[in-house]
């Protein structure tokens, strides 16, 4: 049996030390969490991407702390070896440090072992308050989907030298405030490499090239569970949407033709009992 992953074990996983890159995948429910854990992922992220891939919203701004707590609890009930990280939704960590800690506590009580929040130096008081309350924090900088309106859409960040240096400064500040790992999303590979080489906690990339200490992708994107347009950094390892539709069509055809269910898929009454009711010859 694999060992339970812990925050200190994740924090120590720098690829430059010759260790394997960290693997993080999202999951939002019990069957998904079991699949991700059996696949040997180090971390399960209950991402606010649940808004788009499960709940049918167009962006991540719609989910609430209660939504993430609900999905975190489902993941936690499977008792995975992977570390469970819950995303803090938009507006759950923007108002005050006190509210941030209360909201994070809701996610921890739902079963998360750490929380993730988006943004750089602007978030330092919130990160410090969480760390002060013994809640481990994963940072998330670069393309931060909760800032989609401020950024003018889902745009790659850190493309020019100044913006790249700003990201390095953000990463250093987050580490100084106590983050145990940082997600780098949607940044040029060289910028991710520079951040990774600068900070002493692991970076976990998504659309950030190969020179990070780990990689994360969204469960539904990896498995091709739906045919939404995916960014170029997604690699699909299966097409479960197509396979699923084929299987469901097969079921529908079997129902319509009478091929489902068979006697083997039905419950039988004892012959004597059937006879009492006058039910003879019912196949
Ligand atoms: O919500 C999410 O799935 C994420 C990952 C893309 C890092 O934040």
């Amino acid at each position: 049996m694999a060992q339970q992953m812990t925050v200190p074990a994740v924090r120590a996983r720098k690829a430059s030390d010759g260790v394997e890159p960290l693997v993080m995948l999202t999951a939002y429910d019990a069957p998904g969490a079991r699949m991700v854990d059996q696949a040997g992922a180090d971390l399960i992220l209950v991402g606010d991407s649940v808004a788009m891939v499960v709940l049918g919203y167009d962006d991540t701004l719609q989910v609430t702390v209660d939504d993430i707590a609900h999905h975190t609890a489902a993941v936690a009930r499977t008792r995975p070896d992977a570390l469970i990280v819950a995303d803090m939704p938009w507006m759950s960590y923007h108002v005050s440090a006190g509210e941030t800690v209360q909201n994070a506590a809701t996610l921890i009580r739902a079963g998360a072992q750490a929380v993730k929040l988006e943004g750089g130096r602007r978030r330092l008081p919130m990160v410090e308050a969480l760390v002060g309350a013994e809640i481990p924090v994963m940072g998330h900088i670069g393309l931060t989907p909760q800032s989609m309106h401020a950024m003018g859409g889902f745009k790659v960040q850190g493309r020019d030298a100044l913006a790249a240096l700003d990201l390095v400064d953000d990463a250093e500040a987050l580490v100084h405030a106590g983050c145990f790992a940082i997600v780098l999303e949607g940044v040029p590979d060289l910028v991710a490499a520079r951040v990774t080489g600068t900070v002493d906690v692991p970076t976990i990339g998504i659309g950030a090239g190969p020179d990070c200490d780990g990689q994360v992708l969204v469960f539904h994107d990896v498995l091709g569970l739906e045919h939404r347009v995916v960014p170029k950094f997604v690699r699909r390892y299966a097409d479960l949407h197509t396979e699923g539709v084929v299987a469901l069509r097969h079921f529908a055809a079997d129902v319509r033709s009478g091929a489902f269910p068979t006697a083997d898929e039905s419950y039988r009454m004892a012959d004597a009992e059937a006879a009492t009711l006058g039910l003879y010859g019912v196949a």
Side-chain angles (χ1 to χ4, degrees):
M1 202 176 106
Q3 264 201 322
Q4 172 68 55
M5 184 54 80
T6 64
V7 167
V10 170
R11 196 192 187 288
R13 284 275 288 271
K14 282 299 281 182
S16 51
D17 297 336
V19 292
E20 283 185 333
L22 287 163
V23 177
M24 181 157 86
L25 279 160
T26 65
Y28 317 98
D29 58 20
R34 284 193 196 100
M35 287 172 73
V36 168
D37 203 44
Q38 282 171 30
D42 301 300
L43 302 104
I44 296 177
L45 173 65
V46 186
D48 60 357
S49 50
V50 69
M52 297 164 83
V53 298
V54 174
L55 301 177
Y57 294 117
D58 289 334
D59 55 55
T60 60
L61 304 180
Q62 310 303 328
V63 285
T64 63
V65 172
D66 286 346
D67 291 330
I68 298 286
H70 177 74
H71 289 277
T72 299
V75 166
R77 276 181 214 115
T78 70
R79 302 193 175 283
D81 292 322
L83 189 84
I84 303 173
V85 181
D87 244 342
M88 296 205 67
W90 177 62
M91 284 309 287
S92 70
Y93 57 97
H94 300 70
V95 178
S96 70
E99 212 173 284
T100 302
V101 173
Q102 294 295 350
N103 286 328
T106 301
L107 301 180
I108 297 292
R109 290 200 173 114
Q113 290 147 308
V115 297
K116 174 168 83 60
L117 54 77
E118 297 182 4
R121 280 160 284 178
R122 262 184 289 190
R123 305 291 172 236
L124 296 185
M126 312 319 190
V127 173
E128 280 163 4
L130 291 168
V131 173
E134 313 300 344
I135 298 175
V137 188
M138 179 179 281
H140 181 162
I141 55 175
L143 193 174
T144 46
Q146 292 174 12
S147 324
M148 58 176 283
H149 296 308
M151 287 179 171
F154 297 111
K155 296 201 171 133
V156 173
Q157 300 295 304
R159 279 189 186 275
D160 62 57
L162 263 185
L165 289 175
D166 213 44
L167 278 175
V168 176
D169 288 347
D170 274 342
E172 283 187 300
L174 287 173
V175 174
H176 191 254
C179 285
F180 72 97
I182 297 179
V183 168
L184 294 177
E185 177 166 359
V187 298
D189 48 5
L190 288 179
V191 176
R194 170 69 87 92
V195 173
T196 301
T198 303
V199 296
D200 67 354
V201 305
T203 57
I204 304 179
I206 173 161
D211 294 320
C212 298
D213 300 301
Q215 297 290 330
V216 54
L217 281 179
V218 168
F219 182 87
H220 289 59
D221 292 343
V222 173
L223 295 180
L225 264 168
E226 55 176 349
H227 286 167
R228 73 189 182 110
V229 179
V230 289
K232 75 177 215 164
F233 58 77
V234 168
R235 189 180 294 176
R236 283 217 151 117
Y237 287 84
D239 184 359
L240 295 193
H241 177 89
T242 303
E243 264 190 59
V245 171
V246 168
L248 297 173
R249 279 206 182 116
H250 202 154
F251 168 71
D254 281 354
V255 170
R256 289 180 183 128
S257 70
F260 177 87
T262 62
D264 282 349
E265 289 155 336
S266 308
Y267 296 103
R268 302 296 305 265
M269 192 179 227
D271 286 348
E273 296 297 329
T276 313
L277 296 174
L279 296 171
Y280 299 104
V282 179

